[in-house]
PDB file of all heavy atoms in Angstrom:
ATOM      1  N   PRO A1798      40.783 -36.117 -28.732  1.00  0.00           N
ATOM      2  CA  PRO A1798      40.163 -35.231 -29.741  1.00  0.00           C
ATOM      3  C   PRO A1798      38.649 -35.113 -29.621  1.00  0.00           C
ATOM      4  O   PRO A1798      38.071 -34.066 -29.954  1.00  0.00           O
ATOM      5  CB  PRO A1798      40.562 -35.863 -31.080  1.00  0.00           C
ATOM      6  CG  PRO A1798      40.916 -37.300 -30.734  1.00  0.00           C
ATOM      7  CD  PRO A1798      41.491 -37.259 -29.359  1.00  0.00           C
ATOM      8  N   GLN A1799      37.983 -36.189 -29.125  1.00  0.00           N
ATOM      9  CA  GLN A1799      36.537 -36.114 -28.992  1.00  0.00           C
ATOM     10  C   GLN A1799      36.140 -35.147 -27.883  1.00  0.00           C
ATOM     11  O   GLN A1799      35.151 -34.411 -28.016  1.00  0.00           O
ATOM     12  CB  GLN A1799      35.964 -37.501 -28.678  1.00  0.00           C
ATOM     13  CG  GLN A1799      36.022 -38.470 -29.882  1.00  0.00           C
ATOM     14  CD  GLN A1799      35.338 -39.775 -29.572  1.00  0.00           C
ATOM     15  OE1 GLN A1799      35.343 -40.247 -28.436  1.00  0.00           O
ATOM     16  NE2 GLN A1799      34.766 -40.387 -30.592  1.00  0.00           N
ATOM     17  N   VAL A1800      36.899 -35.124 -26.776  1.00  0.00           N
ATOM     18  CA  VAL A1800      36.615 -34.145 -25.712  1.00  0.00           C
ATOM     19  C   VAL A1800      36.831 -32.719 -26.216  1.00  0.00           C
ATOM     20  O   VAL A1800      36.029 -31.835 -25.938  1.00  0.00           O
ATOM     21  CB  VAL A1800      37.513 -34.449 -24.479  1.00  0.00           C
ATOM     22  CG1 VAL A1800      37.382 -33.343 -23.433  1.00  0.00           C
ATOM     23  CG2 VAL A1800      37.173 -35.812 -23.885  1.00  0.00           C
ATOM     24  N   VAL A1801      37.920 -32.528 -26.948  1.00  0.00           N
ATOM     25  CA  VAL A1801      38.185 -31.188 -27.533  1.00  0.00           C
ATOM     26  C   VAL A1801      37.041 -30.753 -28.417  1.00  0.00           C
ATOM     27  O   VAL A1801      36.560 -29.630 -28.320  1.00  0.00           O
ATOM     28  CB  VAL A1801      39.507 -31.238 -28.334  1.00  0.00           C
ATOM     29  CG1 VAL A1801      39.639 -29.942 -29.152  1.00  0.00           C
ATOM     30  CG2 VAL A1801      40.685 -31.377 -27.387  1.00  0.00           C
ATOM     31  N   GLU A1802      36.543 -31.667 -29.246  1.00  0.00           N
ATOM     32  CA  GLU A1802      35.459 -31.334 -30.145  1.00  0.00           C
ATOM     33  C   GLU A1802      34.173 -31.004 -29.386  1.00  0.00           C
ATOM     34  O   GLU A1802      33.458 -30.069 -29.714  1.00  0.00           O
ATOM     35  CB  GLU A1802      35.193 -32.521 -31.093  1.00  0.00           C
ATOM     36  CG  GLU A1802      34.118 -32.289 -32.092  1.00  0.00           C
ATOM     37  CD  GLU A1802      33.906 -33.481 -33.011  1.00  0.00           C
ATOM     38  OE1 GLU A1802      34.700 -34.433 -32.978  1.00  0.00           O
ATOM     39  OE2 GLU A1802      32.901 -33.478 -33.774  1.00  0.00           O
ATOM     40  N   GLN A1803      33.901 -31.764 -28.312  1.00  0.00           N
ATOM     41  CA  GLN A1803      32.691 -31.516 -27.541  1.00  0.00           C
ATOM     42  C   GLN A1803      32.733 -30.168 -26.828  1.00  0.00           C
ATOM     43  O   GLN A1803      31.731 -29.441 -26.788  1.00  0.00           O
ATOM     44  CB  GLN A1803      32.513 -32.632 -26.511  1.00  0.00           C
ATOM     45  CG  GLN A1803      32.172 -33.987 -27.118  1.00  0.00           C
ATOM     46  CD  GLN A1803      32.295 -35.119 -26.113  1.00  0.00           C
ATOM     47  OE1 GLN A1803      32.416 -34.899 -24.887  1.00  0.00           O
ATOM     48  NE2 GLN A1803      32.308 -36.342 -26.608  1.00  0.00           N
ATOM     49  N   ILE A1804      33.880 -29.821 -26.266  1.00  0.00           N
ATOM     50  CA  ILE A1804      34.004 -28.524 -25.581  1.00  0.00           C
ATOM     51  C   ILE A1804      33.965 -27.397 -26.582  1.00  0.00           C
ATOM     52  O   ILE A1804      33.230 -26.405 -26.397  1.00  0.00           O
ATOM     53  CB  ILE A1804      35.340 -28.483 -24.779  1.00  0.00           C
ATOM     54  CG1 ILE A1804      35.271 -29.454 -23.596  1.00  0.00           C
ATOM     55  CG2 ILE A1804      35.583 -27.057 -24.238  1.00  0.00           C
ATOM     56  CD1 ILE A1804      36.562 -29.555 -22.806  1.00  0.00           C
ATOM     57  N   ARG A1805      34.728 -27.524 -27.662  1.00  0.00           N
ATOM     58  CA  ARG A1805      34.785 -26.441 -28.662  1.00  0.00           C
ATOM     59  C   ARG A1805      33.438 -26.151 -29.290  1.00  0.00           C
ATOM     60  O   ARG A1805      33.151 -24.984 -29.626  1.00  0.00           O
ATOM     61  CB  ARG A1805      35.842 -26.809 -29.717  1.00  0.00           C
ATOM     62  CG  ARG A1805      36.137 -25.699 -30.709  1.00  0.00           C
ATOM     63  CD  ARG A1805      37.355 -25.966 -31.509  1.00  0.00           C
ATOM     64  NE  ARG A1805      38.575 -25.720 -30.702  1.00  0.00           N
ATOM     65  CZ  ARG A1805      39.704 -26.473 -30.817  1.00  0.00           C
ATOM     66  NH1 ARG A1805      39.728 -27.525 -31.629  1.00  0.00           N
ATOM     67  NH2 ARG A1805      40.738 -26.181 -30.087  1.00  0.00           N
ATOM     68  N   ALA A1806      32.613 -27.146 -29.391  1.00  0.00           N
ATOM     69  CA  ALA A1806      31.280 -26.962 -29.983  1.00  0.00           C
ATOM     70  C   ALA A1806      30.416 -25.981 -29.197  1.00  0.00           C
ATOM     71  O   ALA A1806      29.456 -25.414 -29.712  1.00  0.00           O
ATOM     72  CB  ALA A1806      30.577 -28.314 -30.133  1.00  0.00           C
ATOM     73  N   THR A1807      30.761 -25.799 -27.900  1.00  0.00           N
ATOM     74  CA  THR A1807      29.966 -24.899 -27.060  1.00  0.00           C
ATOM     75  C   THR A1807      30.480 -23.475 -27.050  1.00  0.00           C
ATOM     76  O   THR A1807      29.867 -22.600 -26.450  1.00  0.00           O
ATOM     77  CB  THR A1807      29.939 -25.407 -25.599  1.00  0.00           C
ATOM     78  OG1 THR A1807      31.219 -25.292 -25.011  1.00  0.00           O
ATOM     79  CG2 THR A1807      29.438 -26.830 -25.525  1.00  0.00           C
TER      80      THR A1807
END
Side-chain angles (χ1 to χ4, degrees):
Q1799 289 185 329
V1800 172
V1801 169
E1802 183 180 351
Q1803 291 168 13
I1804 293 176
R1805 187 166 284 143
T1807 68

